[in-house]
Structure formats: structure tokens, C-alpha cells
Amino acid sequence: MAKLPRLDPAASVIKILGMGNVSKITGVDRTQCWRWTQPKSKRGTGGLIPQDHHPVILAFAEQKGLPVTAETLICRSSKSSSRRLSVARR
């Protein structure tokens, strides 16, 4: 079975903070955190971390001096961002 790609920004945030820390500070199970890194076709969130969790993630990263910013939580690849913009302009 082929390994699925981990999607950003969730994969990057989890890599920086650690799965255990993300699970603990957000109050959700590690399995749910992992689902944030999976495509929607596999019942994931397509790489998005639910916005309800952004404040605690940002506070934790700032407290620990880790490089996670609001931009880290919302940015995706420039290719997908430009595609969304072109769709929104139609």
C-alpha cells in the first residue's frame, strides 16, 4: 500500500511542535491530529487544522520559542493558493 503524502499546514505544525504536544494542547486525540494531515478523500481535513485550535497552538509555539505563526497555520502551497484565487474571481 502506498504511503499517503502528509498535507500542510498541519503536517508542518505537527512536525515542529510534536504530535503529543499538539494533541495535549488542543485537547483532541492523537488520531484526530493525524487526520488533519490526511486528504479529504481519506476522511482527513486536507491539511487544515480547525481554526478553534489556532490560538492555543500559537500561544504554545510562542511560549516555547518555536517557529509557528498565524501564517504557518493558514498557508498552503502557492499553487493551491493561486488556484483558489482564480476560482474566487470567477
Side-chain angles (χ1 to χ4, degrees), residues 1 7 10 13-14 36 44 57 73 78 80:
M1 178 178 225
L7 302 176
V13 170
I14 289 171
W36 298 341
I57 290 171
L73 292 171
S78 58
S80 65

Side-chain angles (χ1 to χ4, degrees), residues 14 35 47 65 68 72 88:
I14 289 171
R35 281 209 166 144
V68 175
T72 309

Side-chain angles (χ1 to χ4, degrees), residues 60-78:
F60 180 83
E62 184 177 11
Q63 178 186 17
K64 299 293 185 183
L66 298 170
V68 175
T69 64
E71 188 173 302
T72 309
L73 292 171
I74 60 173
C75 284
R76 294 170 58 108
S77 73
S78 58

